[in-house]
Amino acid sequence: MKIDLDDLEQTYNKCLTTGNVKEKNEIDIELIKSLKNIAEKGLEFIKEKSKNIKKNSTDWTFVFRDYYESLRGLIETYLLFDKIIAENHQCKNAYICLKHPELDLDWNFLETARLKRNAINYRGQLLKYEDWNKLKLQFELHINKLKKEIEKKLKEF
């Protein structure tokens, strides 16, 4: 099944015009550290739990969802360095992809993951191991890149 993805620049412009991307007054380093820690602890937890999941189980749905939440948390954390908050996941993704091309984050992957997460949360879709396995590497690449860049930025403070 092919998913129609929104255009990055159109999405970003829509987020701006609807007020879904806002500036904060200051950079909150303690909040950044806390959100980063929560994302990392969530990953550790689900990695350990996933070792015991059978390949034919639909519990891979929760592995996907926890990875998604960790990735989303790291994106939110990174945006705080720019003093940016966004009202929804799509706007956070659009901002980071458009304003930080040096991170090399894949808009299509982020949108696909967001829509899949929405299908799980709002339409009750369950995932099998094969579904998760198709996305695992991209999750790990994006998460590792963000963790590394957040660490670099934290050293500047």
Side-chain angles (χ1 to χ4, degrees):
M1 177 176 125
K2 177 149 174 19
I3 300 173
D4 288 331
L5 302 177
D6 293 339
D7 177 76
L8 173 58
E9 286 188 32
Q10 287 176 353
T11 300
Y12 177 74
N13 290 333
K14 184 173 133 191
C15 290
L16 285 181
T17 58
T18 57
N20 282 322
V21 174
K22 298 175 182 144
E23 276 193 57
K24 290 176 55 104
N25 292 330
E26 58 189 43
I27 297 173
D28 186 340
I29 293 300
E30 291 310 309
L31 179 58
I32 288 170
K33 289 177 181 176
S34 180
L35 291 176
K36 176 184 172 289
N37 186 44
I38 288 169
E40 290 174 345
K41 293 277 185 203
L43 278 174
E44 287 173 26
F45 179 80
I46 199 58
K47 282 181 182 180
E48 192 59 37
K49 282 282 189 197
S50 68
K51 292 176 184 175
N52 299 318
I53 301 174
K54 293 181 175 28
K55 289 210 178 182
N56 63 350
S57 172
T58 56
D59 286 351
W60 294 101
T61 304
F62 308 105
V63 174
F64 168 88
R65 205 165 62 179
D66 284 0
Y67 265 79
Y68 178 87
E69 283 305 313
S70 291
L71 175 60
R72 184 200 53 76
L74 291 170
I75 290 170
E76 188 172 318
T77 301
Y78 194 89
L79 296 186
L80 291 174
F81 285 111
D82 287 358
K83 298 190 261 185
I84 293 294
I85 54 172
E87 297 295 318
N88 62 53
H89 301 190
Q90 188 179 39
C91 291
K92 290 173 192 184
N93 295 345
Y95 180 91
I96 201 165
C97 286
L98 202 65
K99 295 296 182 179
H100 291 285
E102 74 279 5
L103 294 174
D104 217 16
L105 300 180
D106 182 350
W107 168 252
N108 290 333
F109 165 71
L110 294 176
E111 272 295 273
T112 299
R114 182 184 68 81
L115 292 169
K116 194 167 281 299
R117 178 258 186 195
N118 288 350
I120 291 166
N121 282 6
Y122 307 123
R123 293 193 301 282
Q125 182 181 64
L126 295 171
L127 303 181
K128 298 227 161 105
Y129 175 76
E130 297 76 32
D131 302 314
W132 161 243
N133 200 41
K134 289 177 190 170
L135 299 166
K136 182 182 178 187
L137 179 60
Q138 282 283 61
F139 267 111
E140 289 180 351
L141 290 171
H142 283 72
I143 286 168
N144 289 336
K145 178 68 171 181
L146 283 164
K147 282 170 47 176
K148 181 179 158 194
E149 294 302 317
I150 291 167
E151 278 298 323
K152 268 198 235 176
K153 286 187 167 290
L154 279 172
K155 286 180 181 167
E156 296 170 11
F157 285 90

Short mmCIF file of all heavy atoms in Angstrom, two decimals, residues 71-130:
data_model
loop_
_atom_site.label_atom_id
_atom_site.label_comp_id
_atom_site.label_asym_id
_atom_site.label_seq_id
_atom_site.Cartn_x
_atom_site.Cartn_y
_atom_site.Cartn_z
N LEU A 71 12.30 8.81 19.10
CA LEU A 71 12.72 9.67 17.99
C LEU A 71 12.02 11.02 18.08
O LEU A 71 12.66 12.07 17.97
CB LEU A 71 12.42 8.99 16.65
CG LEU A 71 12.70 9.82 15.39
CD1 LEU A 71 14.16 10.23 15.31
CD2 LEU A 71 12.28 9.04 14.15
N ARG A 72 10.73 11.01 18.30
CA ARG A 72 9.97 12.26 18.42
C ARG A 72 10.51 13.10 19.57
O ARG A 72 10.67 14.32 19.46
CB ARG A 72 8.49 11.96 18.63
CG ARG A 72 7.64 13.21 18.66
CD ARG A 72 6.30 12.98 19.32
NE ARG A 72 6.39 12.38 20.65
CZ ARG A 72 6.75 13.04 21.76
NH1 ARG A 72 7.08 14.30 21.71
NH2 ARG A 72 6.79 12.42 22.92
N GLY A 73 10.81 12.46 20.68
CA GLY A 73 11.37 13.16 21.82
C GLY A 73 12.71 13.80 21.52
O GLY A 73 13.00 14.93 21.97
N LEU A 74 13.54 13.11 20.77
CA LEU A 74 14.85 13.67 20.40
C LEU A 74 14.70 14.83 19.43
O LEU A 74 15.44 15.81 19.51
CB LEU A 74 15.75 12.57 19.82
CG LEU A 74 16.21 11.51 20.83
CD1 LEU A 74 16.87 10.35 20.13
CD2 LEU A 74 17.14 12.12 21.89
N ILE A 75 13.74 14.74 18.52
CA ILE A 75 13.49 15.85 17.61
C ILE A 75 13.02 17.07 18.41
O ILE A 75 13.52 18.18 18.22
CB ILE A 75 12.45 15.46 16.52
CG1 ILE A 75 13.07 14.45 15.55
CG2 ILE A 75 11.94 16.70 15.78
CD1 ILE A 75 12.10 13.81 14.58
N GLU A 76 12.10 16.85 19.31
CA GLU A 76 11.61 17.93 20.17
C GLU A 76 12.76 18.54 20.97
O GLU A 76 12.86 19.77 21.10
CB GLU A 76 10.54 17.37 21.11
CG GLU A 76 9.82 18.40 21.91
CD GLU A 76 8.65 17.78 22.68
OE1 GLU A 76 7.93 16.94 22.10
OE2 GLU A 76 8.48 18.15 23.84
N THR A 77 13.63 17.71 21.49
CA THR A 77 14.80 18.16 22.24
C THR A 77 15.69 19.04 21.38
O THR A 77 16.12 20.11 21.80
CB THR A 77 15.59 16.94 22.76
OG1 THR A 77 14.73 16.15 23.58
CG2 THR A 77 16.81 17.35 23.54
N TYR A 78 15.96 18.58 20.16
CA TYR A 78 16.83 19.35 19.26
C TYR A 78 16.23 20.71 18.95
O TYR A 78 16.93 21.72 18.90
CB TYR A 78 17.09 18.55 17.97
CG TYR A 78 18.22 19.12 17.17
CD1 TYR A 78 19.53 18.70 17.40
CD2 TYR A 78 18.00 20.09 16.20
CE1 TYR A 78 20.58 19.23 16.67
CE2 TYR A 78 19.05 20.64 15.49
CZ TYR A 78 20.33 20.20 15.72
OH TYR A 78 21.38 20.75 15.01
N LEU A 79 14.92 20.76 18.76
CA LEU A 79 14.26 22.03 18.43
C LEU A 79 14.40 23.04 19.57
O LEU A 79 14.40 24.25 19.33
CB LEU A 79 12.78 21.81 18.12
CG LEU A 79 12.43 20.98 16.89
CD1 LEU A 79 10.93 20.98 16.65
CD2 LEU A 79 13.18 21.42 15.67
N LEU A 80 14.51 22.56 20.79
CA LEU A 80 14.65 23.46 21.93
C LEU A 80 15.94 24.28 21.85
O LEU A 80 16.00 25.39 22.38
CB LEU A 80 14.57 22.69 23.23
CG LEU A 80 13.20 22.11 23.57
CD1 LEU A 80 13.28 21.23 24.82
CD2 LEU A 80 12.16 23.21 23.74
N PHE A 81 16.97 23.76 21.20
CA PHE A 81 18.20 24.54 21.00
C PHE A 81 17.93 25.75 20.10
O PHE A 81 18.62 26.76 20.22
CB PHE A 81 19.31 23.68 20.37
CG PHE A 81 19.94 22.72 21.33
CD1 PHE A 81 19.75 21.36 21.19
CD2 PHE A 81 20.76 23.15 22.37
CE1 PHE A 81 20.34 20.45 22.05
CE2 PHE A 81 21.36 22.26 23.25
CZ PHE A 81 21.15 20.91 23.09
N ASP A 82 16.95 25.63 19.22
CA ASP A 82 16.56 26.74 18.35
C ASP A 82 15.48 27.61 18.99
O ASP A 82 14.96 28.52 18.36
CB ASP A 82 16.01 26.22 17.02
CG ASP A 82 17.08 25.65 16.11
OD1 ASP A 82 18.27 25.68 16.48
OD2 ASP A 82 16.71 25.16 15.02
N LYS A 83 15.12 27.28 20.24
CA LYS A 83 14.04 27.97 20.96
C LYS A 83 12.71 27.82 20.21
O LYS A 83 11.91 28.75 20.15
CB LYS A 83 14.37 29.45 21.20
CG LYS A 83 15.60 29.66 22.05
CD LYS A 83 15.75 31.10 22.46
CE LYS A 83 16.74 31.75 21.53
NZ LYS A 83 17.05 33.13 21.90
N ILE A 84 12.49 26.63 19.67
CA ILE A 84 11.29 26.34 18.88
C ILE A 84 10.46 25.27 19.57
O ILE A 84 10.99 24.26 20.04
CB ILE A 84 11.66 25.87 17.45
CG1 ILE A 84 12.32 27.00 16.66
CG2 ILE A 84 10.47 25.29 16.71
CD1 ILE A 84 11.40 28.18 16.34
N ILE A 85 9.15 25.52 19.61
CA ILE A 85 8.20 24.47 19.98
C ILE A 85 7.18 24.37 18.85
O ILE A 85 6.87 25.36 18.19
CB ILE A 85 7.50 24.75 21.34
CG1 ILE A 85 6.85 26.13 21.36
CG2 ILE A 85 8.46 24.58 22.49
CD1 ILE A 85 6.01 26.38 22.58
N ALA A 86 6.74 23.17 18.60
CA ALA A 86 5.75 22.95 17.54
C ALA A 86 4.59 22.16 18.15
O ALA A 86 4.79 21.30 19.00
CB ALA A 86 6.37 22.20 16.37
N GLU A 87 3.41 22.48 17.67
CA GLU A 87 2.19 21.91 18.25
C GLU A 87 1.95 20.45 17.88
O GLU A 87 1.20 19.77 18.56
CB GLU A 87 0.98 22.74 17.81
CG GLU A 87 1.02 24.17 18.31
CD GLU A 87 0.93 24.28 19.82
OE1 GLU A 87 0.13 23.55 20.43
OE2 GLU A 87 1.68 25.10 20.38
N ASN A 88 2.54 19.98 16.78
CA ASN A 88 2.28 18.60 16.39
C ASN A 88 3.54 17.95 15.80
O ASN A 88 4.51 18.65 15.48
CB ASN A 88 1.08 18.50 15.43
CG ASN A 88 1.31 19.25 14.15
OD1 ASN A 88 2.31 19.05 13.46
ND2 ASN A 88 0.38 20.13 13.79
N HIS A 89 3.49 16.67 15.66
CA HIS A 89 4.65 15.90 15.20
C HIS A 89 5.05 16.30 13.78
O HIS A 89 6.24 16.41 13.48
CB HIS A 89 4.36 14.40 15.23
CG HIS A 89 4.00 13.88 16.58
ND1 HIS A 89 3.91 12.54 16.85
CD2 HIS A 89 3.72 14.49 17.75
CE1 HIS A 89 3.58 12.36 18.12
NE2 HIS A 89 3.44 13.54 18.68
N GLN A 90 4.08 16.50 12.91
CA GLN A 90 4.40 16.82 11.53
C GLN A 90 5.13 18.16 11.44
O GLN A 90 6.10 18.29 10.68
CB GLN A 90 3.14 16.85 10.67
CG GLN A 90 3.45 17.00 9.20
CD GLN A 90 2.21 17.00 8.33
OE1 GLN A 90 1.19 17.58 8.69
NE2 GLN A 90 2.30 16.35 7.19
N CYS A 91 4.72 19.12 12.22
CA CYS A 91 5.38 20.43 12.20
C CYS A 91 6.80 20.34 12.77
O CYS A 91 7.72 21.01 12.28
CB CYS A 91 4.55 21.47 12.93
SG CYS A 91 3.02 21.89 12.05
N LYS A 92 6.98 19.54 13.80
CA LYS A 92 8.33 19.33 14.35
C LYS A 92 9.24 18.72 13.29
O LYS A 92 10.38 19.16 13.09
CB LYS A 92 8.27 18.40 15.57
CG LYS A 92 7.62 19.01 16.77
CD LYS A 92 7.44 17.99 17.88
CE LYS A 92 6.53 18.62 18.92
NZ LYS A 92 6.32 17.86 20.08
N ASN A 93 8.70 17.72 12.60
CA ASN A 93 9.48 17.05 11.55
C ASN A 93 9.80 18.00 10.41
O ASN A 93 10.93 18.02 9.90
CB ASN A 93 8.72 15.84 11.01
CG ASN A 93 8.53 14.75 12.04
OD1 ASN A 93 9.19 14.73 13.09
ND2 ASN A 93 7.63 13.84 11.78
N ALA A 94 8.82 18.79 10.01
CA ALA A 94 9.03 19.72 8.90
C ALA A 94 10.08 20.76 9.28
O ALA A 94 10.98 21.07 8.49
CB ALA A 94 7.71 20.40 8.52
N TYR A 95 9.98 21.28 10.48
CA TYR A 95 10.95 22.29 10.92
C TYR A 95 12.37 21.72 10.90
O TYR A 95 13.28 22.32 10.33
CB TYR A 95 10.61 22.80 12.33
CG TYR A 95 11.61 23.82 12.80
CD1 TYR A 95 11.40 25.18 12.56
CD2 TYR A 95 12.78 23.45 13.45
CE1 TYR A 95 12.33 26.13 12.96
CE2 TYR A 95 13.72 24.39 13.84
CZ TYR A 95 13.49 25.72 13.61
OH TYR A 95 14.43 26.66 13.99
N ILE A 96 12.56 20.56 11.52
CA ILE A 96 13.93 20.03 11.64
C ILE A 96 14.50 19.66 10.27
O ILE A 96 15.67 19.88 10.00
CB ILE A 96 14.02 18.87 12.65
CG1 ILE A 96 15.47 18.70 13.12
CG2 ILE A 96 13.44 17.57 12.08
CD1 ILE A 96 15.63 17.84 14.34
N CYS A 97 13.66 19.13 9.39
CA CYS A 97 14.16 18.75 8.06
C CYS A 97 14.50 19.98 7.22
O CYS A 97 15.51 20.00 6.52
CB CYS A 97 13.13 17.89 7.32
SG CYS A 97 13.03 16.21 7.94
N LEU A 98 13.68 21.01 7.30
CA LEU A 98 13.89 22.19 6.47
C LEU A 98 14.97 23.11 7.04
O LEU A 98 15.80 23.62 6.29
CB LEU A 98 12.58 22.97 6.31
CG LEU A 98 12.53 23.88 5.11
CD1 LEU A 98 12.58 23.07 3.81
CD2 LEU A 98 11.27 24.71 5.13
N LYS A 99 15.00 23.28 8.33
CA LYS A 99 15.95 24.22 8.95
C LYS A 99 17.29 23.60 9.29
O LYS A 99 18.26 24.31 9.55
CB LYS A 99 15.33 24.83 10.22
CG LYS A 99 14.12 25.68 9.95
CD LYS A 99 14.51 26.88 9.11
CE LYS A 99 13.34 27.80 8.84
NZ LYS A 99 13.72 28.97 8.07
N HIS A 100 17.36 22.28 9.27
CA HIS A 100 18.62 21.60 9.61
C HIS A 100 18.96 20.50 8.60
O HIS A 100 19.07 19.33 8.97
CB HIS A 100 18.55 21.05 11.04
CG HIS A 100 18.53 22.11 12.07
ND1 HIS A 100 19.65 22.84 12.43
CD2 HIS A 100 17.50 22.63 12.78
CE1 HIS A 100 19.32 23.73 13.33
NE2 HIS A 100 18.01 23.64 13.56
N PRO A 101 19.16 20.89 7.35
CA PRO A 101 19.50 19.88 6.33
C PRO A 101 20.82 19.17 6.64
O PRO A 101 21.04 18.04 6.19
CB PRO A 101 19.57 20.68 5.03
CG PRO A 101 19.79 22.09 5.46
CD PRO A 101 19.13 22.24 6.79
N GLU A 102 21.68 19.81 7.43
CA GLU A 102 22.97 19.21 7.79
C GLU A 102 22.79 17.93 8.60
O GLU A 102 23.69 17.08 8.64
CB GLU A 102 23.84 20.22 8.56
CG GLU A 102 23.43 20.47 10.00
CD GLU A 102 22.28 21.46 10.20
OE1 GLU A 102 21.67 21.92 9.21
OE2 GLU A 102 21.97 21.76 11.37
N LEU A 103 21.63 17.76 9.23
CA LEU A 103 21.37 16.53 9.99
C LEU A 103 21.07 15.34 9.08
O LEU A 103 21.16 14.19 9.50
CB LEU A 103 20.19 16.74 10.95
CG LEU A 103 20.40 17.74 12.08
CD1 LEU A 103 19.11 17.94 12.86
CD2 LEU A 103 21.52 17.27 13.00
N ASP A 104 20.69 15.65 7.85
CA ASP A 104 20.41 14.60 6.86
C ASP A 104 19.28 13.67 7.31
O ASP A 104 19.36 12.46 7.11
CB ASP A 104 21.70 13.81 6.59
CG ASP A 104 21.81 13.41 5.13
OD1 ASP A 104 21.09 13.99 4.30
OD2 ASP A 104 22.61 12.51 4.83
N LEU A 105 18.26 14.24 7.94
CA LEU A 105 17.10 13.44 8.33
C LEU A 105 16.17 13.31 7.12
O LEU A 105 16.04 14.23 6.33
CB LEU A 105 16.36 14.10 9.50
CG LEU A 105 17.19 14.29 10.77
CD1 LEU A 105 16.35 14.94 11.86
CD2 LEU A 105 17.77 12.98 11.27
N ASP A 106 15.55 12.17 7.00
CA ASP A 106 14.74 11.84 5.82
C ASP A 106 13.27 12.17 6.08
O ASP A 106 12.59 11.47 6.84
CB ASP A 106 14.93 10.36 5.51
CG ASP A 106 14.19 9.90 4.28
OD1 ASP A 106 13.36 10.65 3.73
OD2 ASP A 106 14.42 8.74 3.86
N TRP A 107 12.78 13.23 5.43
CA TRP A 107 11.39 13.65 5.56
C TRP A 107 10.43 12.51 5.24
O TRP A 107 9.45 12.29 5.96
CB TRP A 107 11.14 14.85 4.66
CG TRP A 107 9.70 15.22 4.48
CD1 TRP A 107 8.96 15.04 3.35
CD2 TRP A 107 8.83 15.83 5.44
NE1 TRP A 107 7.67 15.50 3.55
CE2 TRP A 107 7.56 15.99 4.83
CE3 TRP A 107 8.98 16.24 6.76
CZ2 TRP A 107 6.48 16.55 5.49
CZ3 TRP A 107 7.90 16.80 7.42
CH2 TRP A 107 6.66 16.94 6.78
N ASN A 108 10.71 11.78 4.18
CA ASN A 108 9.80 10.69 3.78
C ASN A 108 9.73 9.61 4.86
O ASN A 108 8.65 9.09 5.15
CB ASN A 108 10.22 10.09 2.44
CG ASN A 108 9.97 11.03 1.29
OD1 ASN A 108 9.09 11.89 1.35
ND2 ASN A 108 10.75 10.90 0.24
N PHE A 109 10.87 9.29 5.46
CA PHE A 109 10.85 8.31 6.55
C PHE A 109 10.06 8.86 7.75
O PHE A 109 9.23 8.15 8.32
CB PHE A 109 12.27 7.94 7.00
CG PHE A 109 12.28 7.24 8.33
CD1 PHE A 109 11.81 5.94 8.44
CD2 PHE A 109 12.71 7.90 9.47
CE1 PHE A 109 11.77 5.30 9.69
CE2 PHE A 109 12.68 7.27 10.71
CZ PHE A 109 12.21 5.97 10.81
N LEU A 110 10.34 10.11 8.13
CA LEU A 110 9.66 10.69 9.28
C LEU A 110 8.14 10.74 9.08
O LEU A 110 7.37 10.44 9.99
CB LEU A 110 10.20 12.09 9.60
CG LEU A 110 11.65 12.14 10.07
CD1 LEU A 110 12.09 13.59 10.25
CD2 LEU A 110 11.86 11.35 11.34
N GLU A 111 7.73 11.10 7.88
CA GLU A 111 6.29 11.15 7.57
C GLU A 111 5.68 9.74 7.56
O GLU A 111 4.59 9.53 8.08
CB GLU A 111 6.05 11.82 6.22
CG GLU A 111 5.91 13.31 6.30
CD GLU A 111 4.68 13.74 7.09
OE1 GLU A 111 3.59 13.85 6.52
OE2 GLU A 111 4.82 13.98 8.31
N THR A 112 6.38 8.79 6.98
CA THR A 112 5.90 7.41 6.94
C THR A 112 5.74 6.88 8.37
O THR A 112 4.72 6.27 8.70
CB THR A 112 6.86 6.53 6.13
OG1 THR A 112 6.92 7.03 4.78
CG2 THR A 112 6.42 5.07 6.11
N ALA A 113 6.74 7.12 9.20
CA ALA A 113 6.68 6.66 10.58
C ALA A 113 5.54 7.35 11.33
O ALA A 113 4.81 6.70 12.09
CB ALA A 113 8.02 6.91 11.28
N ARG A 114 5.37 8.64 11.12
CA ARG A 114 4.30 9.39 11.79
C ARG A 114 2.93 8.84 11.40
O ARG A 114 2.06 8.61 12.26
CB ARG A 114 4.38 10.88 11.43
CG ARG A 114 3.34 11.75 12.12
CD ARG A 114 3.42 13.20 11.64
NE ARG A 114 3.03 13.34 10.26
CZ ARG A 114 1.75 13.41 9.84
NH1 ARG A 114 0.75 13.33 10.70
NH2 ARG A 114 1.48 13.56 8.56
N LEU A 115 2.74 8.61 10.12
CA LEU A 115 1.45 8.10 9.65
C LEU A 115 1.20 6.68 10.14
O LEU A 115 0.06 6.32 10.50
CB LEU A 115 1.38 8.18 8.12
CG LEU A 115 1.33 9.61 7.57
CD1 LEU A 115 1.53 9.61 6.06
CD2 LEU A 115 0.05 10.31 7.96
N LYS A 116 2.24 5.88 10.20
CA LYS A 116 2.10 4.51 10.72
C LYS A 116 1.76 4.55 12.21
O LYS A 116 0.91 3.82 12.69
CB LYS A 116 3.38 3.70 10.47
CG LYS A 116 3.22 2.23 10.66
CD LYS A 116 4.38 1.45 10.12
CE LYS A 116 4.37 1.23 8.65
NZ LYS A 116 3.26 0.49 8.10
N ARG A 117 2.40 5.44 12.95
CA ARG A 117 2.10 5.62 14.37
C ARG A 117 0.64 6.05 14.55
O ARG A 117 -0.06 5.57 15.42
CB ARG A 117 3.05 6.65 14.97
CG ARG A 117 2.81 6.96 16.43
CD ARG A 117 2.09 8.26 16.51
NE ARG A 117 1.94 8.72 17.89
CZ ARG A 117 1.10 9.68 18.21
NH1 ARG A 117 0.38 10.27 17.29
NH2 ARG A 117 0.98 10.07 19.44
N ASN A 118 0.17 6.96 13.70
CA ASN A 118 -1.23 7.39 13.77
C ASN A 118 -2.19 6.24 13.47
O ASN A 118 -3.23 6.11 14.11
CB ASN A 118 -1.49 8.56 12.83
CG ASN A 118 -0.86 9.84 13.32
OD1 ASN A 118 -0.36 9.93 14.44
ND2 ASN A 118 -0.85 10.86 12.48
N ALA A 119 -1.81 5.38 12.52
CA ALA A 119 -2.65 4.22 12.19
C ALA A 119 -2.75 3.28 13.39
O ALA A 119 -3.81 2.68 13.64
CB ALA A 119 -2.10 3.50 10.97
N ILE A 120 -1.67 3.16 14.13
CA ILE A 120 -1.67 2.32 15.33
C ILE A 120 -2.54 2.96 16.41
O ILE A 120 -3.44 2.33 16.96
CB ILE A 120 -0.22 2.13 15.87
CG1 ILE A 120 0.59 1.27 14.90
CG2 ILE A 120 -0.23 1.54 17.27
CD1 ILE A 120 2.09 1.30 15.15
N ASN A 121 -2.29 4.22 16.70
CA ASN A 121 -2.96 4.90 17.82
C ASN A 121 -4.42 5.21 17.56
O ASN A 121 -5.21 5.21 18.50
CB ASN A 121 -2.23 6.19 18.18
CG ASN A 121 -0.98 5.93 18.98
OD1 ASN A 121 -0.58 4.80 19.19
ND2 ASN A 121 -0.34 6.99 19.43
N TYR A 122 -4.78 5.51 16.32
CA TYR A 122 -6.14 5.99 16.03
C TYR A 122 -7.00 5.01 15.24
O TYR A 122 -8.21 5.16 15.20
CB TYR A 122 -6.09 7.34 15.32
CG TYR A 122 -5.26 8.36 16.07
CD1 TYR A 122 -4.19 8.98 15.47
CD2 TYR A 122 -5.54 8.66 17.40
CE1 TYR A 122 -3.41 9.91 16.16
CE2 TYR A 122 -4.77 9.58 18.11
CZ TYR A 122 -3.71 10.20 17.48
OH TYR A 122 -2.94 11.10 18.17
N ARG A 123 -6.36 4.02 14.60
CA ARG A 123 -7.14 3.06 13.83
C ARG A 123 -6.88 1.61 14.25
O ARG A 123 -7.36 0.68 13.61
CB ARG A 123 -6.87 3.24 12.33
CG ARG A 123 -7.41 4.58 11.81
CD ARG A 123 -7.44 4.66 10.31
NE ARG A 123 -6.15 4.49 9.67
CZ ARG A 123 -5.20 5.43 9.59
NH1 ARG A 123 -5.39 6.60 10.12
NH2 ARG A 123 -4.08 5.20 8.97
N GLY A 124 -6.10 1.44 15.30
CA GLY A 124 -5.89 0.11 15.85
C GLY A 124 -5.07 -0.83 14.98
O GLY A 124 -5.17 -2.05 15.15
N GLN A 125 -4.25 -0.30 14.10
CA GLN A 125 -3.42 -1.16 13.24
C GLN A 125 -2.34 -1.84 14.09
O GLN A 125 -1.74 -1.22 14.96
CB GLN A 125 -2.76 -0.32 12.15
CG GLN A 125 -1.93 -1.15 11.19
CD GLN A 125 -1.27 -0.28 10.14
OE1 GLN A 125 -0.44 0.56 10.45
NE2 GLN A 125 -1.66 -0.48 8.90
N LEU A 126 -2.12 -3.12 13.84
CA LEU A 126 -1.07 -3.87 14.52
C LEU A 126 0.05 -4.19 13.53
O LEU A 126 -0.20 -4.38 12.34
CB LEU A 126 -1.63 -5.16 15.11
CG LEU A 126 -2.66 -4.97 16.23
CD1 LEU A 126 -3.30 -6.29 16.59
CD2 LEU A 126 -2.02 -4.33 17.45
N LEU A 127 1.27 -4.26 14.02
CA LEU A 127 2.43 -4.54 13.17
C LEU A 127 3.01 -5.90 13.50
O LEU A 127 2.99 -6.33 14.66
CB LEU A 127 3.51 -3.48 13.37
CG LEU A 127 3.13 -2.03 13.11
CD1 LEU A 127 4.34 -1.14 13.32
CD2 LEU A 127 2.55 -1.84 11.73
N LYS A 128 3.56 -6.51 12.50
CA LYS A 128 4.29 -7.76 12.67
C LYS A 128 5.79 -7.46 12.60
O LYS A 128 6.20 -6.34 12.28
CB LYS A 128 3.91 -8.72 11.54
CG LYS A 128 2.43 -9.07 11.57
CD LYS A 128 2.27 -10.55 11.41
CE LYS A 128 0.93 -10.96 11.88
NZ LYS A 128 -0.09 -11.29 11.11
N TYR A 129 6.60 -8.46 12.85
CA TYR A 129 8.05 -8.28 12.84
C TYR A 129 8.52 -7.73 11.49
O TYR A 129 9.37 -6.84 11.45
CB TYR A 129 8.76 -9.61 13.13
CG TYR A 129 10.25 -9.49 13.00
CD1 TYR A 129 10.99 -8.87 14.00
CD2 TYR A 129 10.91 -9.97 11.87
CE1 TYR A 129 12.36 -8.73 13.88
CE2 TYR A 129 12.28 -9.82 11.75
CZ TYR A 129 13.00 -9.20 12.75
OH TYR A 129 14.36 -9.04 12.62
N GLU A 130 7.97 -8.24 10.40
CA GLU A 130 8.40 -7.79 9.06
C GLU A 130 8.16 -6.29 8.89
O GLU A 130 8.98 -5.60 8.28
CB GLU A 130 7.66 -8.55 7.95
CG GLU A 130 7.93 -10.04 7.91
CD GLU A 130 7.20 -10.84 9.00
OE1 GLU A 130 6.08 -10.45 9.41
OE2 GLU A 130 7.78 -11.84 9.46
#
